[in-house]
Amino acid sequence: MAKILVAIANGFEEIEAVSIIDIARRADIEVVIAGVEDINLIGAHNIQIKADVKIEDVSTEKFDMIVLPGGLPNAFTLAENDIVQRLLKEFKEKNKKIGAICAAPYALHKADVLQGNYTCYPSFEKKIKNDGYQEEENVVTDNNVITSKGPATSIYFALEIIKTLKGEEIYKNIKDGLLA
């Protein structure tokens, strides 16, 4: 069974986090939510989520992919957290999948794992790099890195994760079931 790590800190974007978790679980992907600051976290719009583990208790060995939802200050916390940054680098070194949406590609940039082409929440490319920014694309896959724009694209981002980890048939079944 495929297994993903979803790392979140206070101020995470709830639509993105829950869409990733929900859609991955619909595809029988095991999801572990890792709290960066604590186990109990509060999203950007005051929705609480209880993480499964603290980020310091995570090992890359157990996961096929790490996924970072956006939201503020979550994205900045992920970009500045030494453990998250180490994990991102380890995922890249081990040729594992990495995903980030909204402002979270900034954390990928800080870890130097962002590939050539990417997308993000408009204006965050100025904090990342203009080179390779795909303004018109909602979801961009470049080698092992998947990025997406923001809350409204979160279902398509999660579906791309499904396609990457579970294949075309399961992707199509989940997509059709969601009416996407």
Side-chain angles (χ1 to χ4, degrees):
M1 174 186 281
K3 189 172 181 177
I4 65 172
L5 175 68
V6 177
I8 59 173
N10 286 313
F12 64 91
E13 173 52 61
E14 294 96 336
I15 291 173
E16 295 164 0
V18 173
S19 294
I20 295 160
I21 295 162
D22 178 282
I23 293 169
R25 288 182 176 167
R26 288 173 191 244
D28 291 323
I29 294 173
E30 185 177 348
V31 179
V32 175
I33 305 164
V36 173
E37 297 148 321
D38 202 349
I39 289 290
N40 295 305
L41 299 152
I42 299 174
H45 304 97
N46 296 315
I47 296 173
Q48 296 182 30
I49 287 189
K50 182 177 181 182
D52 301 308
V53 297
K54 291 200 69 178
I55 197 74
E56 55 264 26
D57 298 327
V58 170
S59 165
T60 56
E61 298 303 319
K62 298 178 181 179
F63 297 95
D64 300 297
M65 182 174 197
I66 185 171
V67 183
L68 308 179
L72 297 176
N74 174 70
F76 293 128
T77 303
L78 299 175
E80 300 304 324
N81 182 275
D82 291 339
I83 297 168
V84 173
Q85 291 294 296
R86 176 183 52 80
L87 287 170
L88 288 168
K89 290 174 186 176
E90 287 178 16
F91 270 83
K92 181 180 180 181
E93 288 166 9
K94 294 176 180 180
N95 209 28
K96 293 186 176 196
K97 310 291 185 201
I98 298 170
I101 184 170
C102 194
Y106 178 66
L108 305 188
H109 168 69
K110 292 287 280 191
D112 197 31
V113 301
L114 194 60
Q115 299 296 310
N117 295 309
Y118 75 99
T119 194
C120 63
Y121 193 85
S123 78
F124 261 78
E125 77 280 2
K126 292 174 179 65
K127 296 180 184 307
I128 299 170
K129 60 179 182 131
N130 287 326
D131 184 42
Y133 175 59
Q134 305 293 307
E135 180 179 2
E136 300 301 318
E137 299 297 324
N138 288 331
V139 179
V140 173
T141 299
D142 193 340
N143 293 315
N144 284 338
V145 178
I146 303 170
T147 54
S148 189
K149 279 189 171 178
T153 66
S154 59
I155 289 176
Y156 301 105
F157 176 63
L159 286 168
E160 188 67 21
I161 291 168
I162 303 314
K163 186 190 299 182
T164 299
L165 294 178
K166 299 289 278 196
E168 189 72 34
E169 183 179 344
I170 292 173
Y171 157 79
K172 184 170 178 4
N173 289 340
I174 299 296
K175 181 178 183 279
D176 291 349
L178 292 171
L179 305 177

PDB file of all heavy atoms in Angstrom, residues 45-74:
ATOM      1  N   HIS A  45      -8.209  29.124   8.933  1.00  0.00           N
ATOM      2  CA  HIS A  45      -9.588  29.558   9.131  1.00  0.00           C
ATOM      3  C   HIS A  45     -10.191  28.910  10.374  1.00  0.00           C
ATOM      4  O   HIS A  45     -11.383  28.623  10.431  1.00  0.00           O
ATOM      5  CB  HIS A  45     -10.408  29.281   7.862  1.00  0.00           C
ATOM      6  CG  HIS A  45      -9.786  29.940   6.678  1.00  0.00           C
ATOM      7  ND1 HIS A  45      -8.955  29.274   5.803  1.00  0.00           N
ATOM      8  CD2 HIS A  45      -9.803  31.225   6.270  1.00  0.00           C
ATOM      9  CE1 HIS A  45      -8.512  30.119   4.897  1.00  0.00           C
ATOM     10  NE2 HIS A  45      -9.007  31.317   5.158  1.00  0.00           N
ATOM     11  N   ASN A  46      -9.319  28.675  11.345  1.00  0.00           N
ATOM     12  CA  ASN A  46      -9.689  28.198  12.689  1.00  0.00           C
ATOM     13  C   ASN A  46     -10.310  26.806  12.751  1.00  0.00           C
ATOM     14  O   ASN A  46     -11.048  26.499  13.684  1.00  0.00           O
ATOM     15  CB  ASN A  46     -10.589  29.216  13.389  1.00  0.00           C
ATOM     16  CG  ASN A  46      -9.851  30.511  13.630  1.00  0.00           C
ATOM     17  OD1 ASN A  46      -8.705  30.493  14.070  1.00  0.00           O
ATOM     18  ND2 ASN A  46     -10.487  31.627  13.326  1.00  0.00           N
ATOM     19  N   ILE A  47     -10.001  25.955  11.780  1.00  0.00           N
ATOM     20  CA  ILE A  47     -10.414  24.554  11.841  1.00  0.00           C
ATOM     21  C   ILE A  47      -9.258  23.773  12.457  1.00  0.00           C
ATOM     22  O   ILE A  47      -8.104  23.927  12.044  1.00  0.00           O
ATOM     23  CB  ILE A  47     -10.780  24.010  10.448  1.00  0.00           C
ATOM     24  CG1 ILE A  47     -11.983  24.764   9.900  1.00  0.00           C
ATOM     25  CG2 ILE A  47     -11.056  22.506  10.515  1.00  0.00           C
ATOM     26  CD1 ILE A  47     -12.341  24.423   8.465  1.00  0.00           C
ATOM     27  N   GLN A  48      -9.584  22.943  13.441  1.00  0.00           N
ATOM     28  CA  GLN A  48      -8.546  22.185  14.142  1.00  0.00           C
ATOM     29  C   GLN A  48      -8.374  20.796  13.539  1.00  0.00           C
ATOM     30  O   GLN A  48      -9.359  20.156  13.168  1.00  0.00           O
ATOM     31  CB  GLN A  48      -8.898  22.058  15.613  1.00  0.00           C
ATOM     32  CG  GLN A  48      -8.926  23.386  16.337  1.00  0.00           C
ATOM     33  CD  GLN A  48      -9.229  23.230  17.806  1.00  0.00           C
ATOM     34  OE1 GLN A  48      -8.903  22.229  18.416  1.00  0.00           O
ATOM     35  NE2 GLN A  48      -9.871  24.242  18.371  1.00  0.00           N
ATOM     36  N   ILE A  49      -7.141  20.374  13.459  1.00  0.00           N
ATOM     37  CA  ILE A  49      -6.810  19.012  13.041  1.00  0.00           C
ATOM     38  C   ILE A  49      -5.837  18.437  14.058  1.00  0.00           C
ATOM     39  O   ILE A  49      -4.903  19.123  14.502  1.00  0.00           O
ATOM     40  CB  ILE A  49      -6.190  18.966  11.629  1.00  0.00           C
ATOM     41  CG1 ILE A  49      -7.269  19.221  10.583  1.00  0.00           C
ATOM     42  CG2 ILE A  49      -5.499  17.633  11.374  1.00  0.00           C
ATOM     43  CD1 ILE A  49      -6.852  18.991   9.152  1.00  0.00           C
ATOM     44  N   LYS A  50      -6.056  17.184  14.396  1.00  0.00           N
ATOM     45  CA  LYS A  50      -5.142  16.478  15.283  1.00  0.00           C
ATOM     46  C   LYS A  50      -4.232  15.610  14.419  1.00  0.00           C
ATOM     47  O   LYS A  50      -4.705  14.735  13.685  1.00  0.00           O
ATOM     48  CB  LYS A  50      -5.908  15.611  16.280  1.00  0.00           C
ATOM     49  CG  LYS A  50      -5.002  14.898  17.255  1.00  0.00           C
ATOM     50  CD  LYS A  50      -5.793  14.103  18.268  1.00  0.00           C
ATOM     51  CE  LYS A  50      -4.819  13.426  19.229  1.00  0.00           C
ATOM     52  NZ  LYS A  50      -5.543  12.612  20.205  1.00  0.00           N
ATOM     53  N   ALA A  51      -2.947  15.877  14.495  1.00  0.00           N
ATOM     54  CA  ALA A  51      -1.975  15.106  13.716  1.00  0.00           C
ATOM     55  C   ALA A  51      -1.828  13.701  14.309  1.00  0.00           C
ATOM     56  O   ALA A  51      -2.137  13.464  15.475  1.00  0.00           O
ATOM     57  CB  ALA A  51      -0.626  15.821  13.715  1.00  0.00           C
ATOM     58  N   ASP A  52      -1.329  12.783  13.492  1.00  0.00           N
ATOM     59  CA  ASP A  52      -1.080  11.413  13.938  1.00  0.00           C
ATOM     60  C   ASP A  52       0.229  11.307  14.708  1.00  0.00           C
ATOM     61  O   ASP A  52       0.343  10.502  15.634  1.00  0.00           O
ATOM     62  CB  ASP A  52      -1.028  10.468  12.725  1.00  0.00           C
ATOM     63  CG  ASP A  52      -2.319  10.496  11.931  1.00  0.00           C
ATOM     64  OD1 ASP A  52      -3.397  10.315  12.534  1.00  0.00           O
ATOM     65  OD2 ASP A  52      -2.248  10.716  10.702  1.00  0.00           O
ATOM     66  N   VAL A  53       1.214  12.089  14.275  1.00  0.00           N
ATOM     67  CA  VAL A  53       2.558  12.050  14.876  1.00  0.00           C
ATOM     68  C   VAL A  53       3.151  13.455  14.854  1.00  0.00           C
ATOM     69  O   VAL A  53       2.674  14.322  14.126  1.00  0.00           O
ATOM     70  CB  VAL A  53       3.514  11.093  14.114  1.00  0.00           C
ATOM     71  CG1 VAL A  53       3.046   9.649  14.163  1.00  0.00           C
ATOM     72  CG2 VAL A  53       3.711  11.542  12.674  1.00  0.00           C
ATOM     73  N   LYS A  54       4.194  13.640  15.618  1.00  0.00           N
ATOM     74  CA  LYS A  54       4.970  14.882  15.522  1.00  0.00           C
ATOM     75  C   LYS A  54       6.035  14.669  14.449  1.00  0.00           C
ATOM     76  O   LYS A  54       6.523  13.551  14.253  1.00  0.00           O
ATOM     77  CB  LYS A  54       5.598  15.237  16.866  1.00  0.00           C
ATOM     78  CG  LYS A  54       4.509  15.655  17.868  1.00  0.00           C
ATOM     79  CD  LYS A  54       5.033  16.444  19.016  1.00  0.00           C
ATOM     80  CE  LYS A  54       5.481  17.790  18.554  1.00  0.00           C
ATOM     81  NZ  LYS A  54       5.977  18.652  19.613  1.00  0.00           N
ATOM     82  N   ILE A  55       6.404  15.722  13.781  1.00  0.00           N
ATOM     83  CA  ILE A  55       7.337  15.636  12.650  1.00  0.00           C
ATOM     84  C   ILE A  55       8.679  15.018  13.052  1.00  0.00           C
ATOM     85  O   ILE A  55       9.294  14.299  12.268  1.00  0.00           O
ATOM     86  CB  ILE A  55       7.521  17.021  11.968  1.00  0.00           C
ATOM     87  CG1 ILE A  55       8.140  16.862  10.576  1.00  0.00           C
ATOM     88  CG2 ILE A  55       8.329  17.968  12.825  1.00  0.00           C
ATOM     89  CD1 ILE A  55       7.212  16.333   9.535  1.00  0.00           C
ATOM     90  N   GLU A  56       9.116  15.248  14.281  1.00  0.00           N
ATOM     91  CA  GLU A  56      10.416  14.696  14.703  1.00  0.00           C
ATOM     92  C   GLU A  56      10.406  13.177  14.852  1.00  0.00           C
ATOM     93  O   GLU A  56      11.460  12.559  14.939  1.00  0.00           O
ATOM     94  CB  GLU A  56      10.911  15.362  15.993  1.00  0.00           C
ATOM     95  CG  GLU A  56       9.957  15.320  17.143  1.00  0.00           C
ATOM     96  CD  GLU A  56       9.124  16.591  17.253  1.00  0.00           C
ATOM     97  OE1 GLU A  56       8.892  17.296  16.252  1.00  0.00           O
ATOM     98  OE2 GLU A  56       8.681  16.870  18.384  1.00  0.00           O
ATOM     99  N   ASP A  57       9.222  12.562  14.829  1.00  0.00           N
ATOM    100  CA  ASP A  57       9.113  11.107  14.958  1.00  0.00           C
ATOM    101  C   ASP A  57       8.969  10.411  13.611  1.00  0.00           C
ATOM    102  O   ASP A  57       8.644   9.229  13.557  1.00  0.00           O
ATOM    103  CB  ASP A  57       7.925  10.758  15.862  1.00  0.00           C
ATOM    104  CG  ASP A  57       8.099  11.303  17.267  1.00  0.00           C
ATOM    105  OD1 ASP A  57       9.250  11.377  17.746  1.00  0.00           O
ATOM    106  OD2 ASP A  57       7.076  11.684  17.879  1.00  0.00           O
ATOM    107  N   VAL A  58       9.213  11.130  12.520  1.00  0.00           N
ATOM    108  CA  VAL A  58       9.000  10.611  11.170  1.00  0.00           C
ATOM    109  C   VAL A  58      10.328  10.196  10.537  1.00  0.00           C
ATOM    110  O   VAL A  58      11.348  10.857  10.710  1.00  0.00           O
ATOM    111  CB  VAL A  58       8.327  11.694  10.298  1.00  0.00           C
ATOM    112  CG1 VAL A  58       8.297  11.295   8.846  1.00  0.00           C
ATOM    113  CG2 VAL A  58       6.928  11.974  10.808  1.00  0.00           C
ATOM    114  N   SER A  59      10.257   9.093   9.783  1.00  0.00           N
ATOM    115  CA  SER A  59      11.396   8.625   8.998  1.00  0.00           C
ATOM    116  C   SER A  59      10.972   8.504   7.538  1.00  0.00           C
ATOM    117  O   SER A  59       9.866   8.029   7.254  1.00  0.00           O
ATOM    118  CB  SER A  59      11.856   7.255   9.513  1.00  0.00           C
ATOM    119  OG  SER A  59      12.703   6.631   8.585  1.00  0.00           O
ATOM    120  N   THR A  60      11.822   8.905   6.630  1.00  0.00           N
ATOM    121  CA  THR A  60      11.489   8.827   5.199  1.00  0.00           C
ATOM    122  C   THR A  60      11.318   7.384   4.732  1.00  0.00           C
ATOM    123  O   THR A  60      10.636   7.129   3.743  1.00  0.00           O
ATOM    124  CB  THR A  60      12.579   9.497   4.338  1.00  0.00           C
ATOM    125  OG1 THR A  60      13.831   8.892   4.630  1.00  0.00           O
ATOM    126  CG2 THR A  60      12.644  10.979   4.601  1.00  0.00           C
ATOM    127  N   GLU A  61      11.925   6.446   5.442  1.00  0.00           N
ATOM    128  CA  GLU A  61      11.891   5.036   5.029  1.00  0.00           C
ATOM    129  C   GLU A  61      10.469   4.502   4.890  1.00  0.00           C
ATOM    130  O   GLU A  61      10.219   3.631   4.069  1.00  0.00           O
ATOM    131  CB  GLU A  61      12.652   4.172   6.041  1.00  0.00           C
ATOM    132  CG  GLU A  61      14.121   4.514   6.174  1.00  0.00           C
ATOM    133  CD  GLU A  61      14.871   4.440   4.858  1.00  0.00           C
ATOM    134  OE1 GLU A  61      14.627   3.507   4.069  1.00  0.00           O
ATOM    135  OE2 GLU A  61      15.701   5.324   4.605  1.00  0.00           O
ATOM    136  N   LYS A  62       9.555   5.003   5.688  1.00  0.00           N
ATOM    137  CA  LYS A  62       8.202   4.456   5.737  1.00  0.00           C
ATOM    138  C   LYS A  62       7.249   5.048   4.706  1.00  0.00           C
ATOM    139  O   LYS A  62       6.103   4.632   4.619  1.00  0.00           O
ATOM    140  CB  LYS A  62       7.617   4.673   7.135  1.00  0.00           C
ATOM    141  CG  LYS A  62       8.384   3.965   8.226  1.00  0.00           C
ATOM    142  CD  LYS A  62       7.779   4.257   9.579  1.00  0.00           C
ATOM    143  CE  LYS A  62       8.577   3.558  10.663  1.00  0.00           C
ATOM    144  NZ  LYS A  62       8.028   3.855  11.993  1.00  0.00           N
ATOM    145  N   PHE A  63       7.717   6.026   3.930  1.00  0.00           N
ATOM    146  CA  PHE A  63       6.811   6.770   3.056  1.00  0.00           C
ATOM    147  C   PHE A  63       7.263   6.759   1.605  1.00  0.00           C
ATOM    148  O   PHE A  63       8.453   6.731   1.309  1.00  0.00           O
ATOM    149  CB  PHE A  63       6.698   8.221   3.537  1.00  0.00           C
ATOM    150  CG  PHE A  63       6.097   8.332   4.910  1.00  0.00           C
ATOM    151  CD1 PHE A  63       6.906   8.412   6.030  1.00  0.00           C
ATOM    152  CD2 PHE A  63       4.725   8.331   5.064  1.00  0.00           C
ATOM    153  CE1 PHE A  63       6.350   8.485   7.295  1.00  0.00           C
ATOM    154  CE2 PHE A  63       4.164   8.407   6.328  1.00  0.00           C
ATOM    155  CZ  PHE A  63       4.974   8.486   7.454  1.00  0.00           C
ATOM    156  N   ASP A  64       6.261   6.830   0.701  1.00  0.00           N
ATOM    157  CA  ASP A  64       6.517   6.943  -0.727  1.00  0.00           C
ATOM    158  C   ASP A  64       6.555   8.396  -1.170  1.00  0.00           C
ATOM    159  O   ASP A  64       7.122   8.714  -2.207  1.00  0.00           O
ATOM    160  CB  ASP A  64       5.407   6.224  -1.511  1.00  0.00           C
ATOM    161  CG  ASP A  64       5.334   4.760  -1.145  1.00  0.00           C
ATOM    162  OD1 ASP A  64       6.314   4.038  -1.397  1.00  0.00           O
ATOM    163  OD2 ASP A  64       4.304   4.350  -0.572  1.00  0.00           O
ATOM    164  N   MET A  65       5.915   9.279  -0.360  1.00  0.00           N
ATOM    165  CA  MET A  65       5.774  10.669  -0.777  1.00  0.00           C
ATOM    166  C   MET A  65       5.567  11.560   0.438  1.00  0.00           C
ATOM    167  O   MET A  65       4.970  11.135   1.427  1.00  0.00           O
ATOM    168  CB  MET A  65       4.573  10.800  -1.720  1.00  0.00           C
ATOM    169  CG  MET A  65       4.330  12.169  -2.284  1.00  0.00           C
ATOM    170  SD  MET A  65       2.994  12.124  -3.518  1.00  0.00           S
ATOM    171  CE  MET A  65       3.295  13.692  -4.330  1.00  0.00           C
ATOM    172  N   ILE A  66       6.055  12.786   0.341  1.00  0.00           N
ATOM    173  CA  ILE A  66       5.744  13.828   1.313  1.00  0.00           C
ATOM    174  C   ILE A  66       4.940  14.903   0.589  1.00  0.00           C
ATOM    175  O   ILE A  66       5.257  15.255  -0.551  1.00  0.00           O
ATOM    176  CB  ILE A  66       7.019  14.422   1.969  1.00  0.00           C
ATOM    177  CG1 ILE A  66       6.628  15.419   3.079  1.00  0.00           C
ATOM    178  CG2 ILE A  66       7.947  15.041   0.937  1.00  0.00           C
ATOM    179  CD1 ILE A  66       7.817  15.897   3.921  1.00  0.00           C
ATOM    180  N   VAL A  67       3.876  15.392   1.249  1.00  0.00           N
ATOM    181  CA  VAL A  67       3.007  16.401   0.641  1.00  0.00           C
ATOM    182  C   VAL A  67       2.827  17.550   1.628  1.00  0.00           C
ATOM    183  O   VAL A  67       2.557  17.328   2.809  1.00  0.00           O
ATOM    184  CB  VAL A  67       1.633  15.809   0.262  1.00  0.00           C
ATOM    185  CG1 VAL A  67       0.778  16.870  -0.431  1.00  0.00           C
ATOM    186  CG2 VAL A  67       1.797  14.585  -0.633  1.00  0.00           C
ATOM    187  N   LEU A  68       2.974  18.780   1.119  1.00  0.00           N
ATOM    188  CA  LEU A  68       2.851  19.969   1.937  1.00  0.00           C
ATOM    189  C   LEU A  68       1.678  20.823   1.472  1.00  0.00           C
ATOM    190  O   LEU A  68       1.723  21.394   0.385  1.00  0.00           O
ATOM    191  CB  LEU A  68       4.133  20.807   1.867  1.00  0.00           C
ATOM    192  CG  LEU A  68       5.458  20.107   2.159  1.00  0.00           C
ATOM    193  CD1 LEU A  68       6.605  21.104   2.021  1.00  0.00           C
ATOM    194  CD2 LEU A  68       5.449  19.452   3.514  1.00  0.00           C
ATOM    195  N   PRO A  69       0.622  20.940   2.290  1.00  0.00           N
ATOM    196  CA  PRO A  69      -0.419  21.913   1.986  1.00  0.00           C
ATOM    197  C   PRO A  69       0.129  23.321   2.196  1.00  0.00           C
ATOM    198  O   PRO A  69       1.130  23.504   2.892  1.00  0.00           O
ATOM    199  CB  PRO A  69      -1.515  21.605   3.013  1.00  0.00           C
ATOM    200  CG  PRO A  69      -1.186  20.269   3.572  1.00  0.00           C
ATOM    201  CD  PRO A  69       0.291  20.121   3.440  1.00  0.00           C
ATOM    202  N   GLY A  70      -0.560  24.301   1.637  1.00  0.00           N
ATOM    203  CA  GLY A  70      -0.143  25.684   1.804  1.00  0.00           C
ATOM    204  C   GLY A  70      -0.827  26.342   2.983  1.00  0.00           C
ATOM    205  O   GLY A  70      -1.160  25.686   3.967  1.00  0.00           O
ATOM    206  N   GLY A  71      -1.040  27.633   2.846  1.00  0.00           N
ATOM    207  CA  GLY A  71      -1.616  28.421   3.926  1.00  0.00           C
ATOM    208  C   GLY A  71      -0.528  29.160   4.676  1.00  0.00           C
ATOM    209  O   GLY A  71       0.637  28.757   4.656  1.00  0.00           O
ATOM    210  N   LEU A  72      -0.942  30.240   5.327  1.00  0.00           N
ATOM    211  CA  LEU A  72       0.026  31.048   6.075  1.00  0.00           C
ATOM    212  C   LEU A  72      -0.412  31.162   7.527  1.00  0.00           C
ATOM    213  O   LEU A  72      -1.606  31.286   7.791  1.00  0.00           O
ATOM    214  CB  LEU A  72       0.139  32.442   5.452  1.00  0.00           C
ATOM    215  CG  LEU A  72       0.665  32.467   4.022  1.00  0.00           C
ATOM    216  CD1 LEU A  72       0.646  33.886   3.486  1.00  0.00           C
ATOM    217  CD2 LEU A  72       2.053  31.873   3.933  1.00  0.00           C
ATOM    218  N   PRO A  73       0.528  31.073   8.440  1.00  0.00           N
ATOM    219  CA  PRO A  73       1.979  31.029   8.270  1.00  0.00           C
ATOM    220  C   PRO A  73       2.554  29.640   8.019  1.00  0.00           C
ATOM    221  O   PRO A  73       3.771  29.455   7.987  1.00  0.00           O
ATOM    222  CB  PRO A  73       2.501  31.599   9.586  1.00  0.00           C
ATOM    223  CG  PRO A  73       1.502  31.165  10.598  1.00  0.00           C
ATOM    224  CD  PRO A  73       0.174  31.214   9.881  1.00  0.00           C
ATOM    225  N   ASN A  74       1.696  28.613   7.844  1.00  0.00           N
ATOM    226  CA  ASN A  74       2.147  27.242   7.623  1.00  0.00           C
ATOM    227  C   ASN A  74       3.311  27.137   6.631  1.00  0.00           C
ATOM    228  O   ASN A  74       4.330  26.510   6.935  1.00  0.00           O
ATOM    229  CB  ASN A  74       0.966  26.400   7.135  1.00  0.00           C
ATOM    230  CG  ASN A  74       1.342  25.001   6.735  1.00  0.00           C
ATOM    231  OD1 ASN A  74       1.686  24.177   7.567  1.00  0.00           O
ATOM    232  ND2 ASN A  74       1.270  24.724   5.443  1.00  0.00           N
TER     233      ASN A  74
END
